[in-house]
Every structure is written in C-alpha cells, then in structure tokens.
Amino acid sequence: MSAVLEVRNLVKEYPGLTAVAGISFSVDEGSCFGMLGPNGAGKTTAMEIMEGIRSASSGEILYRGKPIGADFRNEAGMQFQSTALQDHLTVRESLQLFRGFYKHGADLDELIETCSLEQLLNRDNRKLSGGQRQRLLLAIALVNDPKILFLDEPTTGLDPQARRNFWDLIEKIKQRRTTVLLTTHYMDEAYILCDTIAIMDHGKFIAHGSPESLLKEHFSDVIIELPREDFRVPPASLPWTIHEKIDSVEISVASVSEALAKLLELGVGIDRIRIRPRNLEDLFLELTGTELRA
Ligand code: ATP
C-alpha cells in the first residue's frame, strides 16, 4: 500500500496554547484513519490544517508526495463539524447546488442511494432530523466523488441507531477504496471503522496503530463484570486488580476459568456475570489515567 497523505511534525500554536504539538503519521490509500480523543485534544485543528482550511505554525503535509495543491482540492471531500445549509432549499436542490460546483463528480442518483436519501429529496433542509442532516452532509462531501474523505465528528449527537446506520454508509464508501480520515469521541466508532487510529490528548498522539495491535500491546487480560450487589467479598483479599464502579465491579483476570473457580469458591453468585475483552476506552484510561472527557 502507498501513503496518500503524509503529515510530518505538524504544529499549531495559538497565543498561549499549543493546539497541535508535533504529530507525524501517514495514511495508506483506501484505509481509514481515525483521530480520537476528548474535547480540546486538537483533532479538529489537525484535520482543518490537513484539509487546507487552516494554516499550520510548522510542519509539512504531502498529498501523493506533493504539497497540498489543486489535485488535492479536486480529489478531497469534507464533512465539517458544523455546516450551515441554505434555508428554503430541499435535499434534492442542495445536492444539485453542490454538484454544480464541480465539472466531474458523483452520479447524483447513486449518491442518493448510497446515503439513503430517496425518501427525503423534497424535504426542506430545516426539517431534517440530526441523522438525516448528517446523511445529507455526507452526500454533499461526496459530490465530487472524492478519493480522500475527511469526516469531522460525523456522528456526534446522533442516537445509537443513527450512528450505526452512518457506520454502514462509511463501510460502503470504504469498499470503493476511498481513503477516509475521521475524528470522533467514540471509541467504539473508531474500533469498528478504522484500520489505524491515533489517540490524541493535549495536541499529541499518545497511541498510534491498529486498534487490535494497540490492545494486544497494552493488555493481556480479560475483564469480568459483576453487579455490585453480587460482589460481597473484600477486594483486598483477592489476587486481581479490581475497579469499583457505581453499579458494578470490574475484575481484571488473566484466566477466566481460574477466576470463575475462585469466585465460586468464595461464594460469589456468578449468574449475572459478564465477560468482555479489553476495549479502547480501557486503553484511553490506561494511557491517561482518566476516563475519556467527552
Ligand atoms: P472537540 O472534540 O471539542 O471538537 P478537538 O479535539 O477537535 O475538540 P480543537 O477544536 O482542535 O479540539 O481545539 C484544540 C484547542 O485549540 C482547544 O483548546 C481550543 O480551545 C483551541 N482553539 C481552537 N481554535 C482556536 C482558535 N481559533 N484560537 C485559539 N484557540 C483555539
């Protein structure tokens, strides 16, 4: 695979604040790269510099080996964190308007199908739900049939079902070998969609790699969860790391079978037990010592 985008030592300083503190990475053609992290981590700033709409204080960005230029502008699609849509236009008119900006681009009927907009074509932009609006914004980002697509927090504010539907759309776009860069607060979203992720905090990457490789690198245990009321053993008497939450207790164990045997021996009821692998939320907690500040 070849790198479509290369970012070298990118820095963005604001007076009294370093928003992006020297990040470097490359994105392979046809892959999905996700930057995730809490509010204020520097994701949008980094994204907007890559998109060419904000200047860097220092660093270099190469698209297909060259500084950002006309090629990039023709081949990039962007869905910003907030986009104002023209009032009094329907979904169909909005798509036609944006499609008109490009000589070459996507077939509108195909785009309407990809983004599931068939039932909404005559609806005024102002009357769209959050999920419907995001689908329209994605379609607008795709009007020039981009080879590289930037999505800045595309599912923030959507309900769980709408987020899942949006993920299906992104999967369809990935199948066309479009390179995708996205930012998100949602670790599950990054895990599902991204081939490579960077966890960003205070302007820096604190982890960078494939979700699976990062989890393997940092963890060799499994988590057992029990409702708090089922766990009546003093944690100090147990050989595991125990994380007490409001309603539940999480126990980190190397061997599930040995842990279950021990819990039964101690008389702990295991009927409501849940066993889960480590996830990116755990990784974030491990790396920063704090829960994700959404
Ligand atoms: P969120 O998840 O909330 O969108 P983010 O990770 O995208 O956050 P950025 O929007 O990149 O974070 O902001 C990074 C930091 O830079 C924040 O502290 C923000 O307040 C600051 N910042 C962003 N834009 C400006 C600006 N134009 N002038 C000064 N500071 C800014």
Side-chain angles (χ1 to χ4, degrees):
M1 274 201 271
S2 58
V4 171
L5 195 77
E6 271 186 85
V7 173
R8 296 181 185 158
N9 220 1
L10 191 69
V11 174
K12 178 68 181 180
E13 310 263 13
Y14 289 117
L17 174 97
T18 303
V20 179
I23 56 172
S24 300
F25 61 96
S26 61
V27 183
D28 286 332
E29 177 131 46
S31 73
C32 179
F33 177 85
M35 282 190 290
L36 54 160
N39 288 137
K43 306 178 298 292
T44 297
T45 306
M47 195 81 148
E48 289 183 351
I49 297 170
M50 287 184 259
E51 290 164 341
I53 59 174
R54 194 175 287 280
S55 63
S57 302
S58 61
E60 197 178 17
I61 299 176
L62 301 176
Y63 178 66
R64 299 190 189 281
K66 291 190 217 139
I68 299 286
D71 280 1
F72 173 81
R73 279 186 277 280
N74 285 329
E75 294 182 3
M78 296 164 198
Q79 182 177 346
F80 302 109
Q81 214 174 88
S82 54
T83 299
L85 287 166
Q86 178 73 50
D87 283 355
H88 306 294
L89 284 191
T90 63
V91 166
R92 186 199 305 275
E93 288 162 345
S94 301
L95 287 171
Q96 286 167 339
L97 174 74
F98 282 92
R99 179 65 185 82
F101 295 151
Y102 297 93
K103 249 197 217 153
H104 305 288
D107 177 88
L108 275 193
D109 290 334
E110 254 178 50
L111 200 55
I112 288 162
E113 197 195 324
T114 306
C115 296
S116 310
L117 292 170
E118 297 93 333
Q119 309 302 317
L120 302 171
L121 291 174
N122 296 320
R123 193 163 303 175
D124 189 307
N125 288 332
R126 292 168 300 172
K127 298 195 176 142
L128 298 174
S129 73
Q132 292 166 343
R133 189 181 149 83
Q134 289 305 82
R135 297 209 307 270
L136 172 58
L137 291 175
L138 177 65
I140 289 172
L142 292 169
V143 283
N144 59 334
D145 198 12
K147 297 202 166 42
I148 183 164
L149 177 66
F150 293 85
L151 304 170
D152 195 358
E153 292 184 21
T155 64
T156 294
L158 300 191
D159 69 44
Q161 187 55 49
R163 285 178 65 213
R164 283 205 169 77
N165 294 343
F166 201 89
W167 296 346
D168 290 342
L169 293 184
I170 303 302
E171 288 295 351
K172 272 199 230 170
I173 291 159
K174 282 174 66 184
Q175 279 162 18
R176 298 199 300 219
R177 302 274 305 145
T178 307
T179 307
V180 179
L181 277 88
L182 78 101
T183 70
T184 181
H185 290 144
Y186 302 115
M187 300 281 177
D188 54 349
E189 178 161 299
Y191 187 80
I192 287 172
L193 294 180
C194 299
D195 303 293
T196 307
I197 60 164
I199 299 183
M200 199 170 183
D201 202 16
H202 304 295
K204 291 198 174 110
F205 285 176
I206 54 173
H208 180 198
S210 77
E212 278 306 333
S213 68
L214 288 173
L215 292 175
K216 264 203 198 117
E217 199 181 298
H218 286 86
F219 301 112
S220 56
D221 59 351
V222 172
I223 298 296
I224 289 181
E225 291 177 351
L226 275 167
R228 225 183 145 89
E229 63 266 27
D230 292 0
F231 190 78
R232 298 216 182 87
V233 187
S237 64
L238 296 170
W240 308 301
T241 305
I242 294 174
H243 183 200
E244 295 186 65
K245 300 183 123 185
I246 295 173
D247 296 324
S248 64
V249 176
E250 289 192 346
I251 311 171
S252 149
V253 302
S255 158
V256 173
S257 49
E258 281 173 26
L260 290 184
K262 178 84 181 162
L263 287 171
L264 287 170
E265 186 190 310
L266 292 166
V268 174
I270 59 167
D271 290 346
R272 295 195 289 168
I273 208 161
R274 292 201 318 182
I275 298 168
R276 67 166 178 86
R278 288 291 199 164
N279 57 33
L280 293 177
E281 298 276 354
D282 295 321
L283 179 64
F284 190 84
L285 184 64
E286 165 105 353
L287 293 172
T288 64
T290 58
E291 306 271 354
L292 182 65
R293 305 184 302 273

